[in-house]
């Protein structure tokens, strides 16, 4: 019958718990779900479907990394990421988790990503009557004088039951006897049993009484605990000590130094002598650790601290103190000392970080969450209130959540890896205690690269001075660009932009190494046919999408001494450079015999011709002008002078390696009459010869003029299409005085350059003895500037 009642009680108990669990599954308060489960439930038991109760999509839980982030290593709960079921992961002992705290609630923090969601679930651990009441002592011995009056009460040890509420100790029972009864008195939440003498003792009849004290909790079925009480009957000392108050209260601060005074207890005894001398002792039912924390002076009743006062472990102490006289038998009294502990700010805040990403893309949008931060402080009140801050000058911000001391670390503004590629973000948590305590923690983030920088050339446009007759297939120049991005986003390739424009048509004769930008000429350039041209090079990175940039290369062909002088006069009918000149014998000194005329297709010093007599029959008769090629007589002829003289003239240019040609002039001396007669015939022949020379000269000058006019038109078009800081202008200058030559002027930036011939313009400057063919001309727009000479050596 009793067993059936117990089964019905268990069924009712489980029904109540199940009903409570069903109600808690749908309970929401401040976006929080609360469940209830009994302690000692089997591992693997289902607490509830969190995802369903929160309204989450169960099919996306695993992809969103739905998990518990409370951080406890010995967590009692776990969530299934496939179906959102919260289940028991470890053994749950309410007494171990919460001791005497009621209700016992464990808070669980769950996180889902993409988008970021934080949910809080509370699980109440319902107490199960799994502990029986117990006494610290197996037996309690009381000594009573036979003169003890009836109605006198004696405090008995209290039983301890780790369970709470109805499952803790609810009542005491004493076995039936003739002399004693049991009285229960409540002290706060505790029930204290007292043994009351109902009938006077008679040591001669019965010197010892055996009693059994039974403690019963309120569980269903109830659990029991027993204590053997032995009462020894003594004679004399019939007054017991009396405390001034039954409950003493004291307040101390945690971390108080050892030896500090707490309170002084006061008990009095009306007896005299040893029967009235009182000693103070702790009650035997105290926990062992209390003897290490407190010290009682047995003579004075002063209570002092040994050490180890920690508010975070215990905020209140309850001590049982006995006052016993020295009579025979001794008599005692009992009181309770309640000590409240005041919190001191002795715990630094703790920072718990659940980092979601160690690498942040530089194109991340402001507001992107990169980490979750939880701040806790074990202190209470203002000592446990925490203010969180970030280090200065970082593009991150802390966003508080609806729950205290929960933060999200988010991106505050746009990132730029090229400016800062790594961030060390220091999070500082400071409590509001006096003095405040703080804790710092540093999070490191690397900024990943995106292709947001186009390649850049150090200079644009670029000038290339190329000596003519270059070797085909050899590198002539190299362009280089830089990219602030990384890896593939900074891997550059080069190509020549080929367009059908007149300025860039020569780009077809160029090739470029796509990896290093080295430019190769596929043909040899000739200064005499091409002076300058332009092309563009594009540099592209390997990012997605690819970014590119262009640079303009202006190529100037430099002259090389690759053309030998050409004799224009004398020129015989068979094409050889040989002529015959007849002069009267009676001419005076300084008479112009003839002028040797020559032309060099090169320019500057390479086209500057000098004349010299390589061979002459009589050095005293003829002289040759070094620059004009004029042959004149040095003196008058005599009868003894030969009638025919041979002059071999050497014509050479001024290149580094000079090229030359020779002309032969035969001078015949005739009598004056013959000279006049022959002059008519010769003049006619010479007219034909001069007409041929003039014809060739006109053709040459026309070709040169057309070439330079074309160059001028091209350069004007280039100047119109360029910026003002770069101009180039070719100006033809023709000077014919024995040597057909020309010069070219052009401008680059603030400088004017000139490729010179034998006759230079007034105001130009050149270093004597140099083989250079480039001058720097004074800018007439700035007459005050000093004329500077620039030599561009071949």
């Amino acid at each position: 019958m009793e067993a059936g009642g117990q089964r019905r009680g268990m069924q009712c108990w489980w029904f109540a718990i199940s009903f409570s669990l069903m109600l808690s599954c749908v309970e929401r308060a401040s976006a929080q779900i609360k469940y209830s489960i009994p302690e000692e439930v089997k591992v693997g038991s289902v607490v509830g479907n969190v995802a369903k109760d929160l309204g989450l999509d169960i099919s996306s839980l695993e992809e969103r990394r739905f998990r518990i982030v409370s951080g406890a290593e010995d967590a009692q709960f776990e969530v299934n990421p496939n179906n959102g079921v919260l289940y028991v992961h470890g053994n749950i002992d309410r007494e171990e988790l919460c001791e005497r705290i009621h209700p016992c609630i464990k808070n669980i923090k769950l996180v889902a990503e993409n988008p970021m969601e934080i949910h809080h679930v509370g699980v109440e651990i319902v107490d199960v009557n799994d502990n029986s009441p117990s006494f610290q002592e197996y037996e309690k011995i009381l000594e009573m004088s036979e003169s003890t009056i009836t109605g006198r009460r004696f405090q008995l040890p209290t039983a301890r039951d780790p369970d709470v509420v109805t499952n803790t100790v609810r009542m005491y029972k004493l076995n039936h006897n003739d002399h004693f009864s049991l009285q229960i008195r409540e002290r706060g939440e505790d029930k204290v049993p007292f043994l009351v003498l109902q009938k006077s003792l008679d040591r001669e009849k019965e010197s010892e009484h055996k009693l059994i004290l039974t403690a019963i909790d309120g569980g269903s079925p109830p659990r029991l605990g027993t204590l053997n009480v032995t009462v020894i009957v003594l004679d004399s000392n019939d007054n017991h000590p009396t405390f001034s108050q039954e409950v003493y209260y004291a307040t101390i601060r945690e971390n108080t130094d050892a030896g500090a005074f707490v309170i002084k207890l006061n008990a009095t005894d009306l007896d005299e002598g040893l029967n009235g001398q009182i000693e103070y002792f702790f009650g035997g039912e105290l926990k062992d650790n209390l003897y290490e924390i407190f010290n009682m002076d047995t003579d004075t009743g002063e209570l002092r601290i040994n050490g180890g006062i920690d508010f975070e472990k215990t905020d209140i102490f309850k001590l049982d103190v006995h006052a016993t006289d020295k009579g025979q038998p001794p008599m005692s009294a009992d009181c309770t000392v309640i000590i409240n502990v005041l919190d001191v700010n002795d715990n630094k805040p703790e920072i718990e970080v659940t980092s979601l990403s160690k690498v942040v893309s530089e194109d991340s949008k402001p507001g992107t969450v990169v980490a979750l931060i939880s701040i806790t402080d074990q202190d209470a009140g203002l000592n446990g209130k925490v203010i969180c801050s970030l280090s200065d000058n970082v593009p991150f911000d802390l966003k508080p959540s609806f729950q205290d001391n929960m933060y999200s670390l988010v991106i505050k503004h746009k990132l730029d890896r090229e400016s800062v590629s790594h961030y060390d973000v220091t999070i500082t948590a400071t409590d509001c205690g006096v003095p405040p305590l703080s804790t710092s923690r540093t999070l490191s983030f690397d900024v990943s690269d995106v292709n947001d920088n186009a390649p850049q050339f150090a200079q644009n446009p670029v000038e290339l001075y190329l000596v003519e007759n270059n070797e085909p297939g050899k590198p002539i120049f190299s362009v280089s660009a830089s990219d602030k991005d990384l890896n593939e986003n900074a891997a550059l390739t080069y190509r020549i932009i080929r367009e059908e424009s007149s300025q860039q048509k020569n780009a077809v004769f160029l090739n470029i190494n796509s990896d290093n930008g080295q430019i190769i000429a596929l043909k040899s350039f000739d200064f005499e046919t091409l002076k300058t041209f332009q092309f563009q090079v594009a540099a592209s990175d390997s990012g997605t999408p690819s970014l590119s940039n262009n640079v303009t290369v202006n190529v100037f062909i430099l002259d090389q001494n690759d053309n030998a002088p050409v004799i224009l006069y004398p020129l015989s009918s068979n094409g050889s450079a040989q002529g015959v000149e007849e002069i009267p014998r009676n001419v005076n000194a300084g008479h112009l015999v003839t002028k040797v005329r020559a032309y060099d297709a090169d320019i500057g010093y390479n086209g500057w011709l000098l004349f010299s007599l390589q061979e002459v029959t009589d050095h005293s008769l003829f002289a040759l002008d070094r620059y004009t090629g004029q042959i004149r007589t040095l003196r008058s002829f005599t009868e003894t002078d030969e009638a025919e003289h041979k002059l071999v003239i050497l014509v050479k240019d001024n290149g580094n390696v000079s090229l030359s040609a020779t002309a032969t002039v035969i001078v015949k001396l005739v009598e004056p009459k013959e000279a006049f007669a022959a002059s008519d015939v010769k003049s006619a022949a010479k007219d034909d010869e001069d007409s041929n020379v003039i014809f060739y000269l006109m053709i040459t000058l026309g070709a040169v003029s057309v070439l330079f006019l074309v160059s001028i038109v091209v350069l004007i078009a280039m100047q119109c299409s360029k910026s003002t800081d770069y101009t180039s202008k070719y100006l033809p200058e023709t000077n014919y005085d024995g040597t057909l030559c020309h010069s070219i002027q052009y401008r680059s930036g603030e400088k004017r350059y000139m490729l010179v011939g034998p006759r230079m313009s007034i105001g130009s400057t050149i270093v004597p003895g140099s083989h250079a063919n480039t001058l720097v001309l004074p800018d007439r727009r700035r007459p005050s500037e000093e004329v500077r000479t620039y030599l561009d050596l071949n």
Side-chain angles (χ1 to χ4, degrees):
M1 188 69 178
E2 182 179 356
Q6 291 181 354
R7 283 195 299 270
R8 284 192 299 272
M10 286 293 293
Q11 291 174 357
C12 294
W13 183 75
W14 277 108
F15 176 79
I17 292 178
S18 301
F19 182 76
S20 174
L21 183 60
M22 292 173 61
L23 291 177
S24 64
C25 288
V26 296
E27 178 183 353
R28 290 174 179 265
S30 301
Q32 186 172 1
I33 298 176
K34 183 178 177 182
Y35 299 94
S36 294
I37 61 168
E39 65 173 329
E40 303 296 343
V41 69
K42 291 183 179 180
V43 174
S45 298
V46 175
V47 178
N49 193 317
V50 179
K52 181 178 179 182
D53 295 336
L54 290 174
L56 300 178
D57 185 4
I58 297 178
S59 62
S60 64
L61 294 180
E62 185 174 5
E63 180 181 352
R64 296 182 63 189
R65 296 183 60 205
F66 188 67
R67 64 195 186 279
I68 295 175
V69 293
S70 298
E73 296 180 355
D74 56 342
Q76 286 80 18
F77 302 95
E78 198 53 76
V79 65
N80 190 325
N82 296 319
N83 54 21
V85 171
L86 183 68
Y87 61 93
V88 177
H89 183 62
N91 183 48
I92 298 177
D93 185 354
R94 191 208 64 80
E95 287 74 28
E96 180 180 349
L97 294 177
C98 300
E99 295 185 355
R100 299 189 63 82
I101 297 176
H102 179 74
C104 178
I105 298 177
K106 301 300 292 184
N107 291 316
I108 302 174
K109 179 170 57 182
L110 298 102
V111 170
E113 300 177 5
N114 299 321
M116 176 64 62
E117 293 184 14
I118 302 175
H119 300 281
H120 298 270
V121 174
V123 179
E124 180 181 359
I125 310 300
V126 179
D127 183 45
V128 175
N129 191 24
D130 56 346
N131 293 281
S132 299
S134 63
F135 296 88
Q136 287 189 341
E137 301 173 80
Y138 173 74
E139 183 180 13
K140 176 66 175 178
I141 298 177
L142 298 176
E143 294 181 344
M144 298 183 186
S145 174
E146 63 179 350
S147 59
T148 302
I149 61 175
T150 57
R152 177 74 182 276
R153 59 189 179 88
F154 301 88
Q155 182 175 341
L156 296 176
T158 57
R160 301 293 180 182
D161 192 336
D163 296 324
V164 295
V165 193
T166 59
N167 293 327
T168 190
V169 177
R170 306 302 295 172
M171 60 184 298
Y172 293 89
K173 288 184 178 181
L174 189 66
N175 64 316
H176 178 73
N177 63 90
D178 296 331
H179 292 84
F180 299 95
S181 65
L182 188 65
Q183 182 182 4
I184 307 299
R185 301 193 63 177
E186 293 187 358
R187 292 181 180 176
E189 297 177 357
D190 298 329
K191 297 182 182 299
V192 181
F194 287 85
L195 188 64
V196 180
L197 182 61
Q198 297 286 357
K199 182 179 178 181
S200 299
L201 300 175
D202 187 356
R203 188 190 62 82
E204 286 71 23
K205 291 183 178 180
E206 191 173 5
S207 62
E208 187 177 275
H209 299 271
K210 295 290 185 179
L211 305 174
I212 297 177
L213 177 64
T214 302
I216 305 171
D217 64 21
S220 178
R223 290 177 175 266
L224 310 176
T226 59
L227 172 68
N228 294 321
V229 179
T230 301
V231 178
I232 300 175
V233 181
L234 302 176
D235 287 330
S236 68
N237 194 23
D238 53 355
N239 287 289
H240 58 82
T242 303
F243 282 100
S244 58
Q245 57 191 76
E246 192 168 299
V247 180
Y248 290 86
Y249 295 93
T251 302
I252 58 174
R253 296 169 61 88
E254 69 170 322
N255 302 328
T256 302
D257 295 336
F261 174 78
V262 179
I263 194 173
K264 179 179 173 60
L265 305 180
N266 183 29
T268 58
D269 195 317
L270 297 177
D271 295 325
E272 293 183 353
L274 292 177
N275 293 330
Q277 295 181 7
I278 299 174
E279 293 181 322
Y280 299 89
F281 302 96
F282 285 124
E285 64 276 8
L286 293 182
K287 294 182 179 180
D288 294 337
N289 64 326
L290 295 180
Y291 293 100
E292 299 176 358
I293 297 175
F294 297 100
N295 177 42
M296 174 65 73
D297 189 313
T298 58
D299 296 328
T300 64
E302 290 183 353
L303 183 64
R304 295 184 179 271
I305 296 174
N306 286 333
I309 303 296
D310 188 355
F311 174 85
E312 287 68 44
K313 292 183 179 180
T314 307
D315 60 350
I316 188 171
F317 293 97
K318 294 181 180 180
L319 307 178
D320 290 328
V321 180
H322 300 303
T324 304
D325 60 26
K326 297 181 180 180
Q328 292 297 329
M331 301 188 71
S332 63
D334 304 280
C335 73
T336 299
V337 180
I338 298 176
I339 302 173
N340 291 303
V341 180
L342 299 180
D343 182 42
V344 174
N345 192 25
D346 59 342
N347 289 279
K348 292 183 178 181
E350 296 179 359
I351 301 175
E352 178 191 345
V353 177
T354 302
S355 182
L356 302 181
S357 177
K358 293 294 185 182
V359 178
V360 181
S361 177
E362 68 173 319
D363 62 349
S364 297
K365 296 181 179 179
T368 301
V369 179
V370 297
L372 295 176
I373 296 99
S374 176
I375 313 296
T376 58
D377 194 315
Q378 296 182 13
D379 293 321
L382 289 178
N383 295 332
K385 185 174 180 59
V386 180
I387 299 174
C388 199
S389 63
L390 285 181
S391 53
D392 296 333
N393 301 322
V394 292
F396 298 94
D397 197 9
L398 280 176
K399 296 293 184 182
S401 67
F402 69 91
Q403 189 177 20
D404 290 342
N405 298 334
M406 281 293 300
Y407 298 89
S408 297
L409 184 64
V410 300
I411 296 176
K412 184 166 59 176
H413 54 73
K414 185 173 178 60
L415 305 177
D416 184 9
R417 188 208 63 80
E418 287 70 38
S419 299
V420 182
S421 62
H422 178 83
Y423 289 97
D424 289 323
V425 181
T426 300
I427 303 170
T428 302
T430 305
D431 61 29
C432 297
V434 179
L437 300 178
S438 63
T439 301
S440 297
R441 183 164 179 176
T442 300
L443 301 181
S444 296
F445 297 97
D446 291 322
V447 182
S448 62
D449 184 50
V450 296
N451 192 27
D452 57 348
N453 289 278
Q456 296 294 327
F457 291 92
Q459 183 180 355
N460 191 5
V462 178
E463 296 179 1
L464 168 60
Y465 296 91
L466 177 63
V467 179
E468 67 172 331
N469 301 322
N470 58 289
E471 183 179 351
K474 295 292 185 180
I476 61 172
F477 192 57
S478 180
V479 295
S480 178
S482 61
D483 196 312
K484 294 181 181 180
D485 294 320
L486 286 178
N487 302 325
E488 292 299 321
N489 295 331
L492 302 183
T493 56
Y494 301 89
R495 63 181 177 86
I496 294 176
I497 300 176
R498 307 186 189 276
E499 298 178 354
E500 295 298 329
S501 64
S502 59
Q503 286 292 323
Q504 300 189 18
K505 64 181 180 179
N506 289 286
V508 298
F509 302 108
L510 301 176
N511 204 351
I512 190 169
N513 188 317
S514 61
D515 295 328
N516 56 25
Q518 192 176 67
I519 299 173
I520 299 172
L522 301 179
K523 78 166 189 174
S524 179
F525 293 97
D526 184 11
F527 174 82
E528 284 70 40
T529 60
L530 180 64
K531 300 291 187 298
T532 180
F533 67 92
Q534 181 186 87
F535 66 95
Q536 286 187 323
V537 176
S540 303
D541 59 31
S542 301
T544 303
S546 177
L547 301 178
S548 63
N549 207 346
N550 300 340
V551 64
T552 300
V553 181
N554 296 303
V555 182
F556 297 95
I557 309 298
L558 300 181
D559 183 42
Q560 197 176 40
N561 193 23
D562 58 346
N563 292 281
V566 177
I567 304 298
L568 299 178
Y569 181 84
L571 193 64
S572 62
S573 59
N574 60 2
S576 63
Q578 182 173 347
V580 179
E581 296 290 339
E582 292 181 352
I583 61 174
R585 185 181 285 275
N586 62 349
V587 296
N588 296 324
H591 175 75
L592 176 63
V593 178
T594 187
K595 179 186 289 186
V596 178
R597 297 177 176 88
Y599 167 76
D600 195 317
D602 296 321
I603 67 169
Y605 279 98
N606 295 328
W608 186 358
L609 302 182
L610 297 177
F611 302 84
S612 63
L613 284 172
Q614 189 177 20
E615 183 181 339
V616 62
T617 56
D618 190 345
H619 289 282
S620 65
L621 283 177
F622 302 99
L624 176 66
D625 189 288
R626 177 178 177 83
Y627 299 106
T628 65
Q630 293 179 349
I631 302 174
R632 294 181 182 273
T633 59
L634 291 175
R635 61 178 174 82
S636 300
F637 295 99
T638 64
E639 294 296 333
T640 60
D641 290 331
E642 296 290 337
E644 183 176 312
H645 297 273
K646 180 181 179 181
L647 285 74
V648 179
I649 295 92
L650 175 66
V651 183
K652 67 176 182 178
D653 57 30
N654 277 271
N656 286 337
V657 179
S658 297
L659 302 178
S660 62
T662 58
T664 302
V665 177
I666 305 298
V667 181
K668 292 182 179 182
L669 302 180
V670 298
E671 295 302 325
K673 292 181 179 180
E674 296 176 0
F676 292 141
S679 64
D680 294 336
V681 177
K682 185 177 181 180
S683 62
K686 191 169 184 179
D687 288 341
D688 294 338
E689 181 181 349
D690 286 344
S691 65
N692 293 333
V693 172
I694 292 173
F695 176 73
Y696 293 130
L697 183 61
M698 290 178 63
I699 292 176
T700 303
L701 289 174
V704 172
S705 299
V706 170
L707 177 62
F708 285 125
L709 287 174
V710 172
S711 301
I712 289 173
V713 173
V714 171
L715 292 175
I716 289 175
M718 290 175 59
Q719 183 177 11
C720 293
S721 63
K722 293 181 181 178
S723 60
T724 58
D725 62 344
Y726 175 81
T727 60
S728 178
K729 184 177 181 183
Y730 285 81
L731 300 175
E733 290 187 6
T734 304
N735 183 1
Y736 179 73
D737 188 8
T739 302
L740 183 62
C741 61
H742 58 273
S743 63
I744 294 179
Q745 300 180 23
Y746 64 92
R747 177 183 298 277
S748 177
E750 295 296 329
K751 297 180 180 180
R752 295 176 61 218
Y753 297 91
M754 176 179 178
L755 303 175
V756 299
R759 290 286 186 258
M760 294 176 289
S761 300
I762 297 174
S764 63
T765 309
I766 191 168
V767 178
S770 169
H771 294 289
N773 61 359
T774 303
L775 302 179
V776 178
L777 298 183
D779 194 343
R780 293 182 177 86
R781 296 175 298 177
R782 298 181 181 178
S784 61
E785 289 187 1
E786 181 182 354
V787 178
R788 295 173 294 176
T789 301
Y790 173 78
L791 301 180
D792 185 9
L793 299 180
N794 278 332

